[in-house]
Amino acid sequence: MLFQLIKKQLLLLWRNPVQIFLLLGLPIILILILSIALAGFMESGSPKLELKVAWLEHEDESEQIERFINEMNALGVPAETFGDSEDMQIITMLREDIFQGEDLQEMIELNVIHEDEKADVLADDSYSGLIEVPENFTYDMLQIISEQGGERPEITLHVNQEDGIYSSVLSQILEQFDENLTTQTFLQQNGLAVDMKEMQAAASAGEQTQINQMEPISSRDYYTVAMAVFTGLYVASTIGFFATRERQDQVFDRIIVGDMSRWLYFLSILISGTIIAFIQLLFLFCFSYFVFQVSFNDILTFLITTISYAIAVGGITVLLTAISYRFKSDAIIGFFSGVVTSILAFIGGSFFPIGELSETIAHLGNLTPNGSGLSAYIQILRGSGLEDVANYLIYMISFGVVMIIVAAMSFPKRGSTR
């Protein structure tokens, strides 16, 4: 007999094309509209830095190094004291190992220019900055390192004031290099061996650790899930309206008169709501798979999540039915369908990812069944497994159980529905 009651509820829905459209057609239309309209908002991501930088040297570095070595030899200081000539190429190291190194070569386009091009580059807004190396820079730095005296030279950075963030990046790179150069000078002056290239590598590399990054999701991924869990709430009001109509038509009374337990009818409403919600979710996700290429890699976790959310919807369904029977009115179902579902959808993030505004709002959204379901599905889309979404599943099932218990306490006894 329970099977017949469930079949009756399913047939009522099957014979109502308007309700079928609201449960299956409307979500697809909403997915299309929202995923296209809010694609820029969802997929903006982090901006990629691309800097165009000009490089101007006023004197060849190799000539400065040769001049320094000749002077040291004249003073009786062997050139080997300061390493080979490559170790003295301070500017070459800055240009080739840092600005054109592996870490920055994809971010920085470095163009070496001549002095007669300087004015044109400064007037060109496409350049984020101009690095200008003065005459005798390397020679003067080697003089300071060898304690021969002299003033410390400075590299000049001309920045495009309109590119604030790019200017900041260039300034930080040069400041880091200057700090390493100062450290090298101090160590050299105190008789400590130092390799500038090794120092720079140690400062920039550090320990690299691979982390498990979550897969990004598109706006269609997000709104497929968001609209699926949102419209899933309408299953509860749809079945609730059918049950209320049966009360008004005295179908429930005839069931009671036929000496059938009211709990069979109670279970039929619960199971019908759960089954229809499950079928609706599968239909929407299958449609999105073929049309929008929205796919879940972990099918088992996906099915368990879908069942968990369907149980939560089934609990809401039977609770709405019990309350409407208790108060002999379908006003509560209309209020849920017109007001409560919209509030739950807003808090749960079905309209846009409101949880990104703050952790408090995100936690509040996860306390709604649709918000918890949305979070679970999004985690699965990003590559998480069953253990990562277990807390959402437990909450949805627990929510459904609580709704069922409250509904059982509210469900009227024999003859109290007249």
Side-chain angles (χ1 to χ4, degrees), residues 304-323:
I304 295 175
T305 302
T306 303
I307 294 173
S308 300
Y309 186 66
I311 291 174
V313 172
I316 298 174
T317 302
V318 75
L319 177 62
L320 289 176
T321 302
I323 295 176

Side-chain angles (χ1 to χ4, degrees), residues 149-334:
E151 295 183 1
R152 182 184 177 92
E154 296 289 342
I155 295 177
T156 303
L157 173 62
H158 305 273
V159 297
N160 186 344
Q161 298 297 333
E162 296 180 357
D163 293 341
I165 185 172
Y166 303 117
S167 304
S168 176
V169 170
L170 291 175
S171 299
Q172 290 178 14
I173 293 173
L174 291 178
E175 287 175 6
Q176 179 66 44
F177 180 79
D178 185 68
E179 290 177 3
N180 291 339
L181 198 58
T182 301
T183 302
Q184 182 198 31
T185 303
F186 173 78
L187 294 176
Q188 191 74 37
Q189 291 175 347
N190 287 273
L192 300 175
V194 61
D195 190 319
M196 184 64 177
K197 291 185 177 180
E198 291 183 0
M199 182 190 305
Q200 184 63 36
S204 60
E207 182 182 358
Q208 297 183 357
T209 304
Q210 182 69 31
I211 62 174
N212 294 324
Q213 288 188 320
M214 305 298 288
E215 294 291 334
I217 62 170
S218 66
S219 59
R220 287 188 174 179
D221 293 332
Y222 184 87
Y223 282 108
T224 292
V225 175
M227 291 300 104
V229 296
F230 168 45
T231 54
L233 297 173
Y234 285 106
V235 171
S237 58
T238 298
I239 302 301
F241 274 125
F242 289 163
T244 302
R245 180 60 59 87
E246 289 182 335
R247 179 189 61 82
Q248 294 171 350
D249 295 340
Q250 298 184 348
V251 174
F252 180 74
D253 289 339
R254 288 196 293 270
I255 291 175
I256 298 301
V257 172
D259 200 26
M260 182 185 299
S261 172
R262 63 193 175 100
W263 297 116
L264 281 178
Y265 186 78
F266 181 91
L267 287 175
S268 72
I269 298 296
L270 170 62
I271 297 174
S272 298
T274 302
I275 291 175
I276 294 174
F278 182 76
I279 294 175
Q280 180 204 34
L281 291 171
L282 288 184
F283 174 84
L284 293 176
F285 287 128
C286 287
F287 179 88
S288 297
Y289 172 78
F290 290 108
V291 178
F292 304 138
Q293 287 74 52
V294 177
S295 60
F296 295 87
N297 295 326
D298 192 337
I299 300 300
L300 177 60
T301 304
F302 162 74
L303 290 175
I304 295 175
T305 302
T306 303
I307 294 173
S308 300
Y309 186 66
I311 291 174
V313 172
I316 298 174
T317 302
V318 75
L319 177 62
L320 289 176
T321 302
I323 295 176
S324 68
Y325 271 45
R326 168 66 64 179
F327 294 101
K328 304 179 180 64
S329 172
D330 59 1
I332 184 65
I333 299 177

